[in-house]
Structures are given as structure tokens and as C-alpha cells.
Amino acid sequence: MGIFFNQDNLILALPLLSVCAIYAFFKYIPLQYGVPAVIGVGIFLQLRAKVLARRAEKALTEIDESLVNDLTADEDKVKAKVAAKAAKQQLKAQEKVRQRLNAERKGTGRETSPHLLKGGAASKRRNEEVISTGRLIWASVCLE
């Protein structure tokens, strides 16, 4: 059976089959029913073709977000690394400023340092000298 029913024979027999089908359709189905049926099938096929074309066009114009994310993943990683590095540098700069301000506060004598904790009159004079020299150094730094 594979010898007689193959694609080549179908292609050659298609014109004859279509002529026979059209003749049988109009011979056995009255025109008042057949013509509107053929027109209705034709309109249905056109609408279907338009809907399929619109879907294909929509698929081409609207890009899926996951596809965009996949395509820009490398650039996003680089941007994230740069942002993390900038944030880390900002954090280091803030830490340095905080340490510098703490050191300046200690230099002005607002906080007690370990050598100021010793008792006695001599140590009180030394403490006052350290505090006054710290204020002098601070004042000279501010004036410059």
C-alpha cells in the first residue's frame, strides 16, 4: 500500500480530487445552503489567519522580561559589583570620619584617657596641662 499512497501521488491527484469535491458539493447541496456555507467557512479562515498573524506580531514586538533579564545578566552583575564597591568605599570613608571625630574629641579632653586616671596633686597638674595643650592643638588646627 505504501507504493500507491505516498506524498508524490497525493500532490499529483490533488487537482482532480478538488474538482470532484466541488462538483459533488454543488450537485448534492442546494445553492441556498451551500453558498452561504462556503462564504462562512472563507470568512472563518480569514479571521483565523488574522488572529494568528496578530499573535505572531505581538510575540515579536513584546519581549519577555525574563529574556531581557537573561540577556542583561552580565551587565547587571558588573553594575552590582561597582555599586557594592562604591558602598564599601563610602562605608570606609564614614568610618574614617567617625574615627577622626572620636580622636578629636579625645584630644580636646572631653573623654577621659588612661593616663588621666592616676591620682594625686602632681597628676592633676599634668592632666590640666594635657587638656590645655590638647585645646591649643585643636585651636591651631581649626585656625589653619
Side-chain angles (χ1 to χ4, degrees):
M1 290 241 132
I3 297 172
F4 301 110
F5 297 114
N6 57 28
Q7 191 173 8
D8 294 334
N9 289 343
L10 178 64
I11 291 171
L12 292 173
L14 200 56
L16 180 62
L17 291 173
S18 61
V19 168
C20 292
I22 292 170
Y23 174 76
F25 181 79
F26 288 112
K27 174 80 173 163
Y28 296 111
I29 297 176
L31 287 178
Q32 64 185 3
Y33 301 119
V35 173
V38 169
I39 292 173
V41 169
I43 291 173
F44 174 75
L45 292 175
Q46 278 187 329
L47 291 175
R48 184 173 177 259
K50 285 183 180 180
V51 167
L52 291 176
R54 187 172 292 157
R55 283 184 187 170
E57 184 179 326
K58 186 178 179 182
L60 290 175
T61 57
E62 292 183 7
I63 298 174
D64 188 23
E65 289 298 323
S66 63
L67 178 65
V68 171
N69 291 339
D70 291 342
L71 293 174
T72 61
D74 295 335
E75 295 174 10
D76 291 342
K77 287 180 184 176
V78 170
K79 288 180 182 178
K81 284 182 182 178
V82 168
K85 189 174 182 179
K88 190 174 183 181
Q89 288 177 349
Q90 180 68 20
L91 186 62
K92 283 184 180 179
Q94 288 176 352
E95 181 65 24
K96 285 182 182 179
V97 168
R98 189 182 61 79
Q99 287 177 356
R100 184 177 53 84
L101 290 174
N102 285 340
E104 288 175 358
R105 282 189 207 132
K106 286 182 181 179
T108 60
R110 291 184 186 171
E111 296 179 5
T112 58
S113 59
H115 68 276
L116 295 177
L117 297 177
K118 297 178 183 174
S123 65
K124 285 183 182 179
R125 275 185 274 134
R126 189 169 14 115
N127 291 345
E128 290 173 1
E129 290 174 5
V130 169
I131 291 172
S132 64
T133 56
R135 288 184 184 154
L136 288 176
I137 292 172
W138 172 250
S140 65
V141 168
C142 291
L143 292 176
E144 290 178 357

